[in-house]
Amino acid sequence: MYKSFFKRGIDFTASVFVIVLLSPVFITILTVLFFANNGKPFFYQIRPGKNGVLFKIVKFKTMNDKIDANGNLLPDALRLTKMGSFVRKTSLDEIPQLWNVLRGNMSLIGPRPLLIQYLDLYSDFQKKRHEIKPGITGWAQVNGRNTINWQQKFEFDVWYVENCTFVLDCKIVLTTLKKVFISEGISARDSATIEEFKGN
């Protein structure tokens, strides 16, 4: 009952409240990133949602578009801007995803939406992560985020899908706030982001 009915109502109500509460922060970051990223404060990307249905996720843009001599994007760590690093460290880059929650593409809590090129690489077990809407934060995020390996991440995601409750969601929210405050698990070791998933 909670997953199929109450969760959506809580998502919508809480998102409206947080958007209003953080609107001064949102406007400030938007303004700074507008100038820092040559008029491009947002990052858009197609991601798979519930049942693998594709949608466009929106985040604050934390990396520039610098390329090497061959026209390829530089590694993430080299493109991460100073403002982008701060926004990522404080997880403020996730704020625009509240729009995705309002639209119904995402939930506040759930498995993080990954890249579409990973879809064909999942095992039957890993595909279970798409049985519910993806979230801004989730069980894997409060249990290591970018510092855990892919196997652990999928195990946490599927466990959440099979054990989702209101009490668990409240626990995840509180733990997320704690981890954001101490900036824990933001980056993978020796990298600005987690390594690419290459299948099993």
Side-chain angles (χ1 to χ4, degrees), residues 36-148:
N37 294 326
N38 299 316
K40 298 178 181 179
F42 296 114
F43 169 78
Y44 300 94
Q45 192 172 56
I46 302 298
R47 299 284 180 94
K50 184 177 180 181
N51 299 321
V53 176
L54 303 182
F55 71 99
K56 184 180 291 186
I57 195 173
V58 56
K59 300 175 67 173
F60 277 128
K61 188 176 177 67
T62 58
M63 293 185 283
N64 58 43
D65 300 315
K66 291 183 178 180
I67 57 177
D68 60 22
N70 297 316
N72 300 313
L73 285 173
L74 294 174
D76 292 347
L78 297 179
R79 295 189 295 116
L80 186 64
T81 63
K82 290 183 178 180
M83 182 60 185
S85 178
F86 169 76
V87 172
R88 277 180 51 82
K89 185 177 181 180
T90 55
S91 293
L92 293 173
D93 59 320
E94 312 288 359
I95 293 178
Q97 289 172 62
L98 291 169
W99 171 246
N100 289 118
V101 177
L102 289 178
R103 295 190 65 187
N105 304 131
M106 293 178 63
S107 175
L108 292 175
I109 314 296
R112 285 293 299 159
L114 302 176
L115 301 177
I116 58 175
Q117 55 262 41
Y118 295 168
L119 287 174
D120 293 333
L121 303 177
Y122 295 149
S123 65
D124 290 339
F125 173 79
Q126 293 164 347
K127 289 178 181 178
K128 291 182 179 181
R129 71 190 310 280
H130 290 296
E131 291 180 3
I132 62 174
K133 292 178 182 178
I136 294 178
T137 187
W139 190 233
Q141 278 60 52
V142 300
N143 282 284
R145 194 174 174 177
N146 287 337
T147 62
I148 58 177

Side-chain angles (χ1 to χ4, degrees), residues 162-182:
E162 297 175 341
N163 295 275
C164 175
T165 63
F166 174 71
V167 173
L168 179 59
D169 277 0
C170 290
K171 178 180 179 180
I172 292 172
V173 169
L174 293 176
T175 307
T176 297
L177 293 175
K178 175 186 175 182
K179 288 184 175 291
V180 168
F181 182 75
I182 62 177

